[in-house]
């Protein structure tokens, strides 16, 4: 049986490598930002200080009305993107011995929840493009 001091030394040695890597990463980012700040030209003009978005000059007030349906489309996209994230690991586990039936049942339950959400969106008329 190894001595407790040897086990503790091995344990903290593995974390010291992770800590050293984190410090090097933070230093790398700090040096990159510092070099960018020192090397870039600073010539503020009224055009550079003006708010810019998508190539359109800002005109009028900053308050604008946005239709909610675009958020609903984005929300539906996120739901089905998350679905695909869960389907890829499921496909790998399904092939493993001993996980077939249970994994299949769990995935159909998951897909059932998604189908209910899709049916709800269809009934609300979200999926019709106007």
């Amino acid at each position: 049986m190894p001595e407790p001091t040897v086990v503790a030394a091995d344990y903290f040695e593995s974390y010291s490598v992770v800590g050293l890597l984190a410090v090097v990463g933070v230093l790398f980012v700090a040096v990159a930002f510092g070099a960018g700040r020192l090397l870039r030209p600073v010539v503020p003009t009224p055009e550079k200080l003006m708010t810019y978005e998508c190539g359109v000059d800002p005109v009028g007030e900053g308050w604008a009305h946005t239709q909610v349906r675009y958020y609903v489309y984005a929300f539906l996209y996120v739901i089905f993107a998350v679905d695909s994230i869960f389907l890829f690991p499921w496909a790998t586990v399904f092939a493993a011995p001993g996980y077939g039936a249970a994994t299949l049942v769990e995935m159909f339950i998951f897909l059932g929840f998604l189908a209910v959400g899709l049916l709800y969106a269809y009934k609300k008329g979200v999926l019709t493009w106007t």
Side-chain angles (χ1 to χ4, degrees):
M1 184 165 159
E3 294 181 29
T5 56
V6 173
V7 172
D10 289 341
Y11 179 76
F12 288 119
E13 182 179 318
S14 63
Y15 276 108
S16 65
V17 171
V18 173
L20 180 64
L21 187 63
V23 168
V24 168
V26 168
L27 285 175
F28 181 75
V29 171
V31 167
F33 276 111
R37 184 176 207 118
L38 291 174
L39 297 175
R40 72 176 178 231
V42 181
V43 185
T45 61
E47 289 82 17
K48 288 182 180 178
L49 297 175
M50 183 172 50
T51 304
Y52 176 83
E53 182 163 345
C54 300
V56 179
D57 291 333
V59 179
E61 298 179 19
W63 187 259
H65 295 283
T66 305
Q67 293 185 7
V68 173
R69 70 174 175 228
Y70 299 118
Y71 294 112
V72 174
Y73 293 134
F75 184 66
L76 286 173
Y77 170 76
V78 167
I79 288 173
F80 289 104
V82 169
D83 173 36
S84 66
I85 289 172
F86 282 115
L87 284 176
F88 284 117
W90 170 74
T92 60
V93 170
F94 183 69
Y99 289 103
T103 306
L104 188 64
V105 169
E106 289 172 357
M107 189 48 60
F108 275 117
I109 291 171
F110 178 70
L111 290 175
F113 281 123
L114 287 176
V116 168
L118 185 63
L119 182 65
Y120 176 78
Y122 177 74
K123 292 285 187 185
K124 287 291 186 177
V126 172
L127 302 177
T128 57
W129 189 265
T130 57

